Amino acid sequence: MKKSGFTLINLIILGIGILFIAACRRDDFIHSLVFFTGIGFIIPGVVNVFSLIRASRKTNEDATDRPRPSTWSRFTNWTVSTAAVVLGAMMCFTPETFRTPLIYIFALSIFFGGLYHTYMMLRGLRPAKVEAWTYAFPAAIIIIACILFFLKSLRTPDNQSTVILLTGISMILFATASFFESLAIRAYNRYLASQPTIPTTDTNTTDTAQLPE
């Protein structure tokens, strides 16, 4: 992905994190979040169902020898589309049922986000290096994920504001970690650009190649 794509994704994550923190005191926030997530399942599911119906009609009317989708492919597409619509409808009409599962989804997503940044800082950015204190960001993200996953008291409706607050904080930490990783890459690339070019016959140029920003 290009630099602009990473920047946009991180800005979106940062914005969502700020939104979560700002709205964490709203009693209906998780219900609203479940509802709109359900809408997010229903819309593409319905669109895909209509696409499958239209494709099926075209296939029946087409007398050419064009390759047709296999039975397994059609079955899979119909199953996934129908499941998305059904799941979305359930989330819209019974949001309370999905409140606790949503907390686990938050926790797992945050946990893998922390692992991602840990890997990037340890190995993924090499030979660029980040400051030792920046490891506090992925560490904090992983700690928040463990709190959300294992602290059973957060499953009660009275503590949903804490869940939203911690999720928002973790999103801001994720975007901040990405920012410092980008700074490390830029610093390394500036360092390489300032070095004189020395002809060499060594084909291994991994340590002297600029990193994508």
Side-chain angles (χ1 to χ4, degrees):
M1 187 181 292
K2 294 182 179 180
K3 173 185 174 182
S4 58
F6 280 117
T7 302
L8 177 61
I9 290 174
N10 286 316
L11 287 176
I12 291 174
I13 293 174
L14 178 64
I16 294 175
I18 295 173
L19 173 64
F20 272 43
I21 292 175
C24 69
R25 294 296 180 184
R26 291 181 59 91
D27 295 334
D28 60 344
F29 185 78
I30 284 189
H31 283 189
S32 300
L33 190 61
V34 172
F35 176 82
F36 285 109
T37 302
I39 296 294
F41 278 108
I42 290 175
I43 293 176
V46 171
V47 170
N48 203 31
V49 166
F50 279 106
S51 298
L52 290 170
I53 293 174
R54 188 167 60 178
S56 178
R57 288 177 179 175
K58 286 185 177 180
T59 300
N60 293 332
E61 295 172 358
D62 194 354
T64 62
D65 294 330
R66 294 179 182 177
R68 299 184 179 185
S70 65
T71 302
W72 174 252
S73 176
R74 294 196 300 271
F75 172 77
T76 302
N77 287 332
W78 273 103
T79 301
V80 171
S81 301
T82 304
V85 174
V86 172
L87 178 61
M90 291 174 63
M91 296 179 77
C92 289
F93 293 106
T94 57
E96 182 63 27
T97 305
F98 293 88
R99 185 176 58 81
T100 298
L102 189 65
I103 296 174
Y104 286 111
I105 292 173
F106 284 162
L108 290 174
S109 300
I110 293 168
F111 179 75
F112 285 113
L115 289 183
Y116 165 78
H117 278 303
T118 301
Y119 168 78
M120 290 299 294
M121 291 181 179
L122 287 173
R123 298 187 60 86
L125 298 179
R126 288 186 177 182
K129 295 181 180 180
V130 296
E131 298 292 337
W133 57 267
T134 58
Y135 286 93
F137 292 104
I141 293 172
I142 292 174
I143 290 172
I144 290 175
C146 292
I147 292 173
L148 290 176
F149 196 89
F150 293 109
L151 195 60
K152 293 183 178 180
S153 61
L154 295 179
R155 308 292 176 267
T156 62
D158 294 337
N159 290 322
Q160 73 169 6
S161 61
T162 304
V163 173
I164 299 300
L165 178 63
L166 291 175
T167 304
I169 292 173
S170 67
M171 290 181 177
I172 293 176
L173 291 173
F174 185 96
T176 305
S178 297
F179 171 73
F180 284 112
E181 289 168 2
S182 178
L183 288 182
I185 292 174
R186 292 182 183 182
Y188 174 76
N189 287 341
R190 284 197 301 268
Y191 167 76
L192 285 185
S194 66
Q195 300 302 305
T197 303
I198 302 175
T200 178
T201 58
D202 188 1
T203 58
N204 184 9
T205 58
T206 302
D207 292 337
T208 58
Q210 286 198 344
L211 298 173
E213 298 184 10

